[in-house]
Amino acid sequence: MKSSLSLALIALFFSLSALANEEGKHLLILSGQSNMARLEPSISFTPTLENQFGKEKIIVVKDAKGGQPIRRWYKSWKLVEGNMPTNNGDLYDRLMAKVNVAIENKKIETVTFIWMQGERDAKDKQGKVYGESLRGLFEQVSMDLKRKDINIVIGRINDFDMDNKKYSDWTIVRDAQVEVAESFPLTAWVNTDDLNGDTNDIHALGDGYEILGKRFALKAIELIKSGI
């Protein structure tokens, strides 16, 4: 019995020692709706980060679903009218389940959360609560990962409906994303207006997602290096 306990303690000691000596990794979390769902990290996002930091230093976790409002991630979201739906945060829980698996027994040096979403909230006329919801989501991520130093990159929704004719809150959501990015610590935004072609489609066209992936990566690198 004592022998088994001693062996277990020795194994635990070496496991903890290995973790302590492990080089810290950069965790990149990508989430949002269709323009994130269509982005394939392995094409330009992950390679750009690996070229900068080394393949062994990068952990990328992505979970996105098209056509979804921010309330599927932010658990305390409320309607403009003030009501709170009962199924808030289910996609967030799915995302964080993947994150927890990916970082198990890993030493994480930095965390960067990359967000590409907002089209659905503009369509649903919930722009007035979008900025508050975005702040709440970022605070939720910070709390769950127990870190106050999380980098955040926001993909501003494109110029699909600048006259607010189809989606009445389009420019409200765009403005909220920029305002949050410029006022929230360790946060930046990237432009997507040139990625949807001359027809101003709601989605990126052609090589748009390859370009967007690289923009996200370069902005993440900038934030990561500024904090190291």
Side-chain angles (χ1 to χ4, degrees):
M1 184 69 171
K2 290 183 178 179
S3 177
S4 298
L5 180 59
S6 297
L7 289 173
L9 290 173
I10 291 171
L12 178 61
F13 171 78
F14 281 110
S15 176
L16 293 174
S17 297
L19 183 59
N21 294 325
E22 179 187 1
E23 190 174 8
K25 300 182 185 298
H26 302 297
L27 170 65
L28 291 300
I29 305 170
L30 300 95
S31 198
Q33 57 179 110
S34 57
N35 275 308
M36 181 61 85
R38 296 183 181 201
L39 188 154
E40 175 48 63
S42 64
I43 293 177
S44 62
F45 178 79
T46 305
T48 301
L49 286 153
E50 290 178 346
N51 287 340
Q52 179 66 45
F53 297 113
K55 187 173 183 178
E56 73 286 349
K57 289 271 289 181
I58 300 300
I59 300 174
V60 176
V61 179
K62 176 192 160 188
D63 189 85
K65 186 175 177 62
Q68 304 307 310
I70 196 172
R71 70 177 179 83
R72 300 289 300 275
W73 288 269
Y74 178 43
K75 296 185 177 184
S76 296
W77 184 90
K78 294 180 181 179
L79 286 159
V80 168
E81 295 80 6
N83 300 320
M84 181 184 291
T86 58
N87 62 338
N88 289 348
D90 59 318
L91 290 180
Y92 176 81
D93 288 339
R94 190 176 80 174
L95 169 67
M96 295 307 292
K98 290 184 178 181
V99 170
N100 289 332
V101 170
I103 65 175
E104 186 176 7
N105 296 325
K106 300 290 194 308
K107 181 180 179 181
I108 303 301
E109 182 176 350
T110 70
V111 178
T112 304
F113 184 73
I114 302 172
W115 181 248
M116 182 74 239
Q117 189 276 341
E119 297 92 342
R120 177 61 183 272
D121 294 86
K123 180 180 180 180
D124 289 349
K125 302 179 181 180
Q126 296 299 315
K128 290 181 180 179
V129 297
Y130 192 81
E132 178 185 350
S133 301
L134 206 52
R135 288 186 177 88
L137 173 61
F138 297 156
E139 290 168 358
Q140 182 176 289
V141 174
S142 178
M143 183 180 301
D144 287 347
L145 292 179
K146 297 179 175 60
R147 299 185 70 120
K148 295 183 178 180
D149 60 346
I150 294 178
N151 303 311
I152 296 166
V153 179
I154 302 169
R156 186 182 67 178
I157 59 174
N158 64 32
D159 55 356
F160 164 72
D161 189 15
M162 296 301 290
D163 294 327
N164 300 309
K165 291 180 178 178
K166 298 177 181 178
Y167 293 2
S168 65
D169 286 8
W170 193 263
T171 58
I172 295 176
V173 170
R174 277 171 57 99
D175 291 345
Q177 291 174 329
V178 173
E179 192 276 329
V180 170
E182 293 181 349
S183 63
F184 214 88
L186 308 175
T187 304
W189 65 277
V190 301
N191 180 41
T192 68
D193 288 355
D194 59 333
L195 305 180
N196 58 351
D198 295 335
T199 59
N200 282 354
D201 194 88
I202 199 169
H203 297 116
L205 302 176
D207 60 355
Y209 291 108
E210 180 178 354
I211 297 170
L212 181 58
K214 188 163 187 177
R215 284 182 186 170
F216 279 150
L218 290 174
K219 189 59 69 174
I221 290 168
E222 180 183 323
L223 291 171
I224 290 169
K225 292 179 74 173
S226 70
I228 294 177

